[in-house]
């Protein structure tokens, strides 16, 4: 075998007879992964990377797969969501993880890399592949078949083409992300179910109300406010200094406007009388259900620029969240991303153009590993489409499949980017109280189901099979 699916070379040759080179736009993690998956399965690829012809505020070199914010792909442990996703990607033959392994530096269980060695390795591997032509220049139009993997710094011209294709409401330019906590970590002896004035505002909520509510006394509110105002904030690259407007105002900025600003805003207590006391609280923090299974809950109005340790410290002062497990932390930064559940197909293509696929951060995933994983699957699915086969998505018991399900089933009105976390997965058949054991069982099931899906779909890992 030479790295392609069984029969992949023949199907690829047939497809090349009917199509010019497949286009991949964006030479980051997702684009490099997609290009490699296509080339490894017999397709000619034209990979567009606008650097160095057009630069960005974040990138420093013209190399492919340059890491700009961190040098770590996070944990390799299977009991960590990012570690599990990497294990699934290895089964599919990820070039990004192969390069990361070769550039790894000591960092305990985290997959940290030498940035220069890593990007140089990916660049060399892509450039030396005869089926891939790297084009240095800005792509401004969408031409199927293609994979669009331009990331959070998508150029204005290409963004206009995307909006013209998918609709003006399909592309956002600034994240205003609120933290998400695991339902099982919320103290429901304190938090209670209710909707403001008893009016239901969310499909599928039970009779108790759409929201979980954490009531605060005056003393608790004052202490929380003081901690919030004095907490350390993140200040990133120049391109991250986004203009704050009312719809995405950081909670700490609102807090500094006055002692009662939050009480008249996202922490407004009116209409949320605690059924156990019969009284209104001084302030109320509301949590909104993020997924259909009700395992992930979003802190409404808590978009923030606080550093992660500060989010952990300050937000755990909220009554009922003292033991909160954070599945996603809050942030506000520039990030061009699509409203995937509202604008795209189940496998992240344009709905009226099946062979125009999207991958990476622009789809609404957060993180290096997540971006790479979507590029990997986009490459595999474009091969299938051009070979006359149906696209495939791993089952939602896998981390990759669960990410795709989130981007398919999330509420388009409240869609925000998501990172890999165990709250995305289908629950286990039997309840497991021990967190470590539960995650071990999640991982065992995920890898078993991923392997079964690979075999059923006739997919073989591009790296493991290619010579």
């Amino acid at each position: 075998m030479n790295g392609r699916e069984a029969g992949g070379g023949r199907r690829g040759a047939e497809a090349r007879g009917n199509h010019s080179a497949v286009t991949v736009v964006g030479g980051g993690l997702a684009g490099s992964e997609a290009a490699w998956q296509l080339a490894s399965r017999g397709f000619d690829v034209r990979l567009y990377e606008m650097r160095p012809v057009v630069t960005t505020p974040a990138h420093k070199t013209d190399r492919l797969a340059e890491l700009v914010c961190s040098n770590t792909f996070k944990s390799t442990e299977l009991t960590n969501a990012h570690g599990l996703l990497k294990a699934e990607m290895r089964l599919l033959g990820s070039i990004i993880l192969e390069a990361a392994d070769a550039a790894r530096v000591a960092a305990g269980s985290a997959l940290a890399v030498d940035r220069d060695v890593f990007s140089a390795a990916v660049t060399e591997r892509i450039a030396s592949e005869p089926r891939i032509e790297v084009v240095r220049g800005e792509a401004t139009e969408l031409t199927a078949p293609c994979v669009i993997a331009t990331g959070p710094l998508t150029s204005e011209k290409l963004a206009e083409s995307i909006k013209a294709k998918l609709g003006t409401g399909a592309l956002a330019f600034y994240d205003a992300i609120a933290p998400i906590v695991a339902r099982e970590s919320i103290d429901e002896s304190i938090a209670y179910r209710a909707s403001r004035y008893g009016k239901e505002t969310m499909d599928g909520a039970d009779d108790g109300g759409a929201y979980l509510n954490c009531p605060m006394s005056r003393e608790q509110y004052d202490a929380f406010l003081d901690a919030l105002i004095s907490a350390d904030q993140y200040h990133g690259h120049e391109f991250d200094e986004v203009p704050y407007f009312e719809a995405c105002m950081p909670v700490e900025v609102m807090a500094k406007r006055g002692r009662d600003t939050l009480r008249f805003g996202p922490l407004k207590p009116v209409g949320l009388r605690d059924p156990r006391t019969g009284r209104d609280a001084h302030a109320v923090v509301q949590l909104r259900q993020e997924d259909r299974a009700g395992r992930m809950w979003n802190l409404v109005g808590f978009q923030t620029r606080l550093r992660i340790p500060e989010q952990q410290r300050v937000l755990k002062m909220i009554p009922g969240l003292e033991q909160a497990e954070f599945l996603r932390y809050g942030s506000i930064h520039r990030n061009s991303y699509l409203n995937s559940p509202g604008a795209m197909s189940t496998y992240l293509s344009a709905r009226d153009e099946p062979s125009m696929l999207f991958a990476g951060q622009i789809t609404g995933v957060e993180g290096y590993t997540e971006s790479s994983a979507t590029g990997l699957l986009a490459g595999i699915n474009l091969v299938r489409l051009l070979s006359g086969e149906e696209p495939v998505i791993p089952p939602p018991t896998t981390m990759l499949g669960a990410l795709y399900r989130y981007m398919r089933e999330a509420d388009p009105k409240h869609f925000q980017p998501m990172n890999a976390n165990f709250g995305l997965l289908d629950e286990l058949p039997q309840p497991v109280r021990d967190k470590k054991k539960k995650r071990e069982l999640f991982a065992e099931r995920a890898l078993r189901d991923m392997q079964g899906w690979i075999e059923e779909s006739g997919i073989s890992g591009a790296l493991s099979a290619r010579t």
Side-chain angles (χ1 to χ4, degrees):
M1 291 292 290
N2 64 356
R4 303 161 208 151
E5 303 171 34
R10 177 179 59 79
R11 290 198 303 272
E14 292 173 355
R16 290 198 306 277
N18 298 322
H19 296 277
S20 58
V22 178
T23 298
V24 176
V25 183
L29 297 169
S32 297
E33 190 74 83
W36 182 260
Q37 295 298 325
L38 283 154
S40 296
R41 289 168 167 83
F43 285 80
D44 294 329
V45 179
R46 186 171 291 116
L47 174 60
Y48 283 85
E49 171 51 55
M50 67 180 185
R51 294 175 293 119
V53 179
V54 178
T55 60
T56 79
H59 294 87
K60 304 301 181 185
T61 76
D62 63 354
R63 291 175 182 161
L64 303 177
E66 180 183 345
L67 305 182
V68 298
C69 296
S70 170
N71 76 327
T72 178
F73 286 83
K74 300 184 179 178
S75 178
T76 58
E77 295 182 349
L78 292 181
T79 52
N80 180 284
H82 296 90
L84 175 56
L85 181 57
K86 281 192 277 292
E88 295 173 3
M89 291 171 62
R90 293 185 194 282
L91 293 176
L92 291 168
S94 167
I95 185 179
I96 292 299
L97 290 184
E98 183 192 59
D101 288 338
R104 189 170 186 174
V105 298
S109 62
L111 178 53
V113 301
D114 181 306
R115 294 191 198 191
D116 292 334
V117 173
F118 169 76
S119 59
V122 176
T123 303
E124 170 60 26
R125 194 72 179 272
I126 294 293
S128 63
E129 168 52 58
R131 292 193 180 104
I132 301 177
E133 175 191 3
V134 178
V135 180
R136 296 289 181 169
E138 182 182 5
T140 59
E141 297 181 355
L142 306 177
T143 304
C146 63
V147 176
I148 307 300
T150 48
L153 299 179
T154 298
S155 69
E156 288 187 18
K157 291 179 181 179
L158 186 60
E160 287 301 318
S161 295
I162 293 172
K163 286 195 292 184
K165 179 65 178 177
L166 301 180
T168 56
L171 190 62
F173 292 96
Y174 295 101
D175 271 350
I177 296 178
I180 289 176
V181 299
R183 171 64 181 269
E184 61 188 5
S185 68
I186 301 171
D187 186 349
E188 293 193 46
S189 69
I190 297 174
Y192 60 93
R193 293 293 293 262
S195 291
R196 200 175 303 278
Y197 296 113
K199 295 180 180 180
E200 195 51 84
T201 56
M202 181 175 177
D203 293 339
D206 61 28
D207 293 337
Y211 294 86
L212 278 171
N213 301 275
C214 299
M216 284 182 166
S217 67
R218 179 184 293 274
E219 293 74 18
Q220 290 169 329
Y221 175 79
D222 286 341
F224 172 75
L225 199 67
D226 290 339
L228 185 62
I229 291 171
S230 62
D232 188 21
Q233 298 181 37
Y234 172 78
H235 298 283
H237 291 286
E238 201 173 286
F239 69 88
D240 266 339
E241 296 301 325
V242 303
Y244 296 142
F245 42 92
E246 295 303 316
C248 72
M249 186 69 65
V251 66
E252 62 274 11
V253 173
M254 284 190 282
K256 291 177 181 178
R257 288 182 168 184
R259 301 294 294 184
D260 287 325
T261 300
L262 290 179
R263 292 186 63 244
F264 286 92
L267 273 65
K268 182 168 57 179
V270 297
L272 291 169
R273 182 160 295 177
D274 189 337
R276 295 164 300 190
T277 65
R279 298 192 303 271
D280 288 345
H282 185 71
V284 172
V285 174
Q286 289 196 295
L287 293 93
R288 182 180 61 235
Q289 186 172 322
E290 188 75 16
D291 63 320
R292 290 189 177 183
R295 299 176 58 214
M296 303 189 297
W297 288 74
N298 178 306
L299 274 71
V300 178
F302 272 75
Q303 55 272 6
T304 179
R305 292 297 301 266
L306 297 187
R307 295 181 182 276
I308 288 176
E310 293 290 73
Q311 291 187 47
Q312 293 173 327
R313 178 181 69 85
V314 176
L315 299 183
K316 286 185 177 183
M317 295 176 66
I318 298 171
L321 301 186
E322 292 87 350
Q323 303 300 319
E325 176 189 353
F326 290 89
L327 301 176
R328 182 184 73 189
Y329 291 98
S331 68
I332 297 180
H333 58 276
R334 179 181 171 183
N335 181 16
S336 301
Y337 70 97
L338 293 162
N339 187 340
S340 292
M344 293 201 285
S345 74
T346 57
Y347 61 95
L348 301 183
S349 76
R351 288 176 174 170
D352 63 348
E353 192 77 69
S355 62
M356 181 180 291
L357 282 71
F358 292 80
Q361 272 191 253
I362 198 170
T363 65
V365 296
E366 287 277 352
Y368 289 159
T369 307
E370 294 88 337
S371 295
S372 303
T374 58
L376 192 162
L377 189 55
I380 290 174
N381 273 331
L382 190 49
V383 167
R384 294 180 67 89
L385 287 162
L386 296 178
S387 302
E389 298 176 323
E390 291 295 317
V392 289
I393 301 172
T397 51
T398 67
M399 193 59 68
L400 181 54
L403 272 170
Y404 268 73
R405 178 174 63 180
Y406 171 78
M407 290 184 285
R408 177 177 73 248
E409 296 184 356
D411 183 355
K413 295 179 181 178
H414 300 291
F415 181 69
Q416 292 180 327
M418 180 63 69
N419 57 282
N421 67 81
F422 283 106
L424 294 169
L425 297 177
D426 278 353
E427 191 54 89
L428 296 168
Q430 301 296 328
V432 178
R433 294 188 125 183
D434 182 86
K435 183 185 295 186
K436 185 174 184 296
K437 180 62 177 177
K438 185 175 184 178
R439 292 184 173 184
E440 289 173 351
L441 292 173
F442 272 141
E444 289 175 10
R445 183 184 65 179
L447 295 180
R448 181 178 64 248
D449 289 358
M450 177 62 83
Q451 187 62 55
W453 174 80
I454 288 171
E455 294 171 1
E456 179 183 342
S457 303
I459 299 169
S460 58
L463 290 173
S464 62
R466 183 180 173 86
T467 58

